[in-house]
């Protein structure tokens, strides 16, 4: 038996899911993730095919039928490994990434790049719109404000995880149908892992989205401020990463650690020594951002 507070929180999360299905919000969410993932994967494979044909023409050899054959060979070449090492600045990380199938690695990049924006687009107005319409009063009569907000967080987090996993399925199907040199099992495993890591990464932005939603009384204002907050965090992370260094510059490392972008690189590693601290920091950031919004919401007149 769950304690009453946990039962209430879970009931609110379940209602959030049910309401999303009834209002078709979850359908829009899944379409955004799955359609975007499949379209981007199709574009990636098309560009890859053109690059392979150009390479074949430059070398004066017959172009291989299908897509991915040349890429699979190039992926294992010493020259490409050296180039990736230079790009990442870390040989061990480069070796880790080169063990991942190309399409799995692309899906990982795609998830990390676009999930934060999709989270802000779909979640920032969730609390604000119920406060704006007055419907929150009926729920808050039977639960505490904290339980209601945490239930919203849990419901949104479950939806995002489901959408990410379905987007991985969509990208995998496109690769299966369009690539000749395709590793179904290895690619599926890589995509599943990256969907999970992108989900943990998205939790920090979900905490930020709901923090803004608790501050604002109008859904459209919350949406605009949410995107501004996301961009501000990206700028802060970029500046901190640029100026970080030895001596007093180590203070920038602290600033970087307070942003989701400061932990994204660690999520690319495959070992627990990098993954676990990054996941813990991102969850803590999600809760910290959320708490900053709740500090205002707990005193608001609803």
């Amino acid at each position: 038996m769950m304690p009453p507070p946990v039962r209430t929180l879970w009931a609110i999360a379940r209602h959030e899911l049910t309401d999303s299905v009834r209002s078709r919000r979850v359908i829009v969410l899944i379409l955004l993730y799955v359609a975007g993932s499949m379209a981007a994967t199709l574009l990636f494979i098309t560009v890859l095919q053109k690059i392979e044909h150009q390479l074949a023409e430059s070398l004066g050899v017959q172009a291989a039928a299908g897509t991915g054959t040349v890429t699979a060979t190039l992926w294992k070449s010493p020259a490409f490994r050296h180039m990736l090492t230079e790009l990442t600045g870390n040989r061990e990380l480069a070796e880790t990434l080169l063990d991942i199938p190309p399409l799995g690695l692309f899906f990982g990049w795609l998830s990390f790049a676009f999930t934060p924006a999709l989270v802000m687009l779909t979640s920032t107005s969730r609390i604000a719109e119920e406060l704006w319409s007055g419907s929150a009063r009926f729920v808050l009569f039977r639960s505490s404000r904290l339980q209601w907000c945490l239930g919203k967080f849990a419901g949104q987090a479950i939806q995002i995880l489901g959408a990410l996993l379905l987007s991985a399925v969509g990208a995998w199907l496109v690769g299966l149908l369009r690539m000749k040199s395709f590793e179904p099992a290895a690619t599926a495993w890589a995509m599943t892992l990256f969907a999970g890591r992108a989900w943990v990464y998205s939790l920090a932005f979900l905490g930020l989205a709901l923090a803004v939603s608790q501050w604002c009384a109008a859904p459209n204002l919350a949406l605009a401020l949410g995107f501004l907050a996301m961009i501000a965090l990206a700028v802060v992370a970029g500046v901190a990463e640029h100026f970080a260094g030895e001596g007093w510059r180590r203070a920038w490392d602290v600033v970087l650690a307070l942003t989701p972008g400061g932990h994204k690189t660690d999520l690319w590693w495959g070992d627990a020594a990098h993954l676990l601290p990054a996941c813990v920091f991102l969850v803590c950031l999600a809760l910290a951002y959320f708490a900053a919004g709740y500090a205002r919401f707990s005193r608001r007149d609803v």
Side-chain angles (χ1 to χ4, degrees), residues 122-222:
T122 57
S123 302
T124 308
S125 61
R126 286 303 301 130
I127 292 177
E129 65 186 12
E130 295 203 28
L131 295 174
W132 179 73
S133 66
S135 61
R137 298 174 184 174
F138 300 100
V139 181
L140 294 176
F141 180 74
R142 292 174 291 176
S143 71
S144 69
R145 297 189 181 195
L146 182 59
Q147 287 174 331
W148 183 62
C149 293
L150 287 175
K152 289 281 188 182
F153 184 97
Q156 288 294 308
I158 293 170
Q159 291 179 51
I160 294 167
L161 177 60
L164 279 168
L165 291 174
L166 288 174
S167 70
V169 173
W172 184 87
L173 287 173
V174 172
L176 181 66
L177 295 174
R178 294 297 302 270
M179 294 183 73
K180 181 179 181 181
S181 180
F182 185 73
E183 305 172 71
T187 303
W189 178 243
M191 287 182 171
T192 303
L193 290 179
F194 276 123
R197 296 175 192 181
W199 178 70
V200 175
Y201 183 60
S202 75
L203 291 181
F205 292 95
L206 179 58
L208 179 66
L210 294 184
V212 173
S213 196
Q214 292 177 82
W215 272 81
C216 298
N220 291 335
L221 177 61

Side-chain angles (χ1 to χ4, degrees), residues 92-137:
E92 292 183 17
L93 178 57
E95 293 293 334
T96 299
L97 296 179
L98 285 167
D99 289 335
I100 301 171
L103 193 58
L105 197 61
F106 171 76
F107 176 79
W109 171 83
L110 184 70
S111 300
F112 284 121
F114 292 101
T115 297
L118 291 174
V119 169
M120 303 310 289
L121 179 65
T122 57
S123 302
T124 308
S125 61
R126 286 303 301 130
I127 292 177
E129 65 186 12
E130 295 203 28
L131 295 174
W132 179 73
S133 66
S135 61
R137 298 174 184 174

Side-chain angles (χ1 to χ4, degrees), residues 48-62:
L48 194 63
Q49 185 178 34
K50 291 182 179 180
I51 292 174
E52 289 185 349
H53 284 180
Q54 289 292 331
L55 283 174
E57 290 179 6
S58 300
L59 296 173
V61 298
Q62 180 70 28

